[in-house]
């Protein structure tokens, strides 16, 4: 399984960064370049334990649908999401938030596996790990800009 870890300090308290990370609107704004949309929004408009969402996006010129579930919410320290159905053989994203002298240390651990056995592993190593890392960095750039007051405001 391919894996990467990203760490970033965000100048806001953990509770704020945690809440922003669970904001589906922020996710859509962070992926606007890829025209990502929610086909199925979480009940109540926010992610809670067991929430599911279906995303539609275009990557590498190919349209994709991915349905994920949010689980293991431990506010404001961590939560996870994983693919329920979609293009990956497996996909897990762990979000962790810890106090830091400058705000919050946000850590993303992403593990995924492409389908198609050895060919998928080759694609993961040569292309997809770097691409997925960049996507999560883009998401985190948007999140940091919004909670630090340099971007749009969070969804109500």
């Amino acid at each position: 399984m391919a894996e990467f870890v990203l760490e970033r300090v965000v100048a806001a308290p953990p509770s704020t960064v945690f809440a922003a990370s669970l904001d589906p609107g922020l996710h859509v704004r962070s992926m606007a370049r890829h025209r990502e949309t929610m086909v199925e929004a979480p009940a109540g408009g926010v992610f809670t334990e067991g929430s599911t969402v279906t995303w539609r996006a275009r990557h590498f010129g190919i349209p994709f649908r991915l349905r994920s579930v949010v689980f293991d919410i431990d506010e404001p320290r961590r939560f996870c999401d994983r693919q329920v159905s979609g293009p990956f053989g497996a996909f897990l994203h762990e979000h962790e938030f810890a106090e830091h002298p400058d705000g919050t240390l946000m850590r993303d651990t992403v593990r995924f596996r492409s389908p198609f056995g050895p060919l998928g592993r080759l694609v993961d190593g040569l292309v997809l790990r770097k691409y997925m890392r960049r996507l999560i960095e883009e998401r985190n750039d948007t999140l940091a800009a919004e909670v630090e007051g340099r971007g749009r405001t969070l969804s109500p």
Side-chain angles (χ1 to χ4, degrees):
M1 203 176 268
E3 178 179 328
F4 63 88
V5 176
L6 291 174
E7 290 187 340
R8 179 182 191 132
V9 175
V10 180
S15 60
T16 300
V17 179
F18 180 88
S21 293
L22 285 172
D23 178 357
L26 185 143
H27 181 87
V28 169
R29 291 189 298 278
S30 73
M31 294 290 115
R33 183 168 79 89
H34 305 283
R35 295 188 213 138
E36 188 162 318
T37 59
M38 280 186 287
V39 177
E40 171 204 6
V46 295
F47 293 120
T48 58
E49 186 74 28
S51 291
T52 59
V53 63
T54 302
W55 305 103
R56 181 174 48 214
R58 183 173 293 274
H59 299 281
F60 305 109
I62 302 167
F64 290 97
R65 286 174 78 102
L66 183 141
R67 186 164 194 245
S68 60
V69 62
V70 175
F71 63 100
D72 284 350
I73 294 178
D74 179 15
E75 187 176 347
R77 294 182 242 346
R78 75 182 299 271
F79 70 92
C80 298
D81 62 86
R82 69 174 168 80
Q83 175 189 278
V84 174
S85 62
F88 293 98
F91 182 90
L92 175 67
H93 185 172
E94 297 177 56
H95 307 255
E96 297 175 286
F97 310 90
E99 288 189 26
H100 184 277
D102 296 324
T104 301
L105 174 63
M106 182 171 64
R107 178 179 296 119
D108 293 278
T109 304
V110 177
R111 294 179 189 90
F112 63 92
R113 183 182 74 250
S114 293
F116 311 121
L119 179 60
R121 286 192 298 276
L122 184 63
V123 169
D124 289 349
L126 293 177
V127 178
L128 208 49
R129 181 182 293 124
K130 182 178 179 182
Y131 185 79
M132 294 298 297
R133 182 182 187 96
R134 190 172 66 237
L135 282 178
I136 302 300
E137 287 172 342
E138 286 177 26
R139 175 190 170 277
N140 291 349
D141 288 346
T142 300
L143 186 148
E146 290 196 17
V147 301
E148 292 173 349
R150 296 175 286 139
R152 295 178 52 165
T153 58
L154 295 176
S155 298

